[in-house]
Amino acid sequence: MTTYHTRQQERLLAYLRETQGKHFTAEDVRAHFAATKTAIGIATVYRHLEKLVADGMVTKYVIDEHSAACFEYVGSACHADAPEQHFHLKCESCGALIHLACDELACIRAHLQKEHGFSLNPFRTVFYGTCGACAAGGIKR
């Protein structure tokens, strides 16, 4: 079966490849294209992102009911196939979502499993607090 690719989809994929390893929202993508004078509507962005999520090329993170969904381009190496387990940090001041790949958290996961029979999903675990930039700038919510 042949996959149909539009010019917008190709531009979106090129942009996502540049952002690999970073989180973004659909609005971030729309704003990027608006800034580069490329016509692409928010509905088109959402439609393409959801298709890429279904294809395993983009991971979607829904942090809470108050925040926009975040996405991450992972290419053809889907988390299920090549899991790089990580947690997330969410800054309550600026809203930044930060990857946290830390070996120390493996101890917490092991403890929760052994002592409490609870399997923690690292892709959906978020720690809330204040990022270093906000803490250094004295920004408080």
Side-chain angles (χ1 to χ4, degrees), residues 4-70:
Y4 177 71
H5 293 284
T6 65
R7 188 176 333 198
Q8 287 178 331
Q9 186 176 19
E10 291 300 325
R11 287 181 178 159
L12 177 63
L13 279 170
Y15 171 70
L16 296 181
R17 286 184 191 108
E18 293 172 17
T19 67
Q20 189 159 0
K22 298 178 184 172
H23 293 105
F24 57 88
T25 64
E27 176 55 28
D28 294 335
V29 174
R30 190 214 53 80
H32 164 78
F33 285 109
T36 61
K37 307 285 191 239
T38 303
I40 184 169
I42 192 72
T44 301
V45 171
Y46 274 111
R47 185 172 53 255
H48 285 304
L49 286 175
E50 291 300 337
K51 182 184 180 316
L52 292 169
V53 168
D55 291 345
M57 294 181 71
V58 170
T59 301
K60 181 178 182 178
Y61 300 101
V62 179
I63 303 304
D64 57 43
E65 67 275 1
H66 305 293
S67 303
C70 285

Side-chain angles (χ1 to χ4, degrees), residues 53-125:
V53 168
D55 291 345
M57 294 181 71
V58 170
T59 301
K60 181 178 182 178
Y61 300 101
V62 179
I63 303 304
D64 57 43
E65 67 275 1
H66 305 293
S67 303
C70 285
F71 299 88
E72 178 188 8
Y73 178 78
V74 293
S76 58
C78 170
H79 284 311
D81 297 334
E84 171 206 323
Q85 296 189 352
H86 62 272
F87 296 84
H88 292 94
L89 305 175
K90 172 93 175 176
C91 180
E92 294 175 298
S93 293
C94 69
L97 185 65
I98 305 160
H99 273 292
L100 176 64
C102 178
D103 293 337
E104 295 296 320
L105 293 170
C107 295
I108 293 171
R109 289 185 65 212
H111 170 81
L112 290 173
Q113 180 62 49
K114 181 179 177 186
E115 300 298 324
H116 305 283
F118 187 82
S119 295
L120 189 65
N121 180 345
F123 298 113
R124 296 193 41 96
T125 302

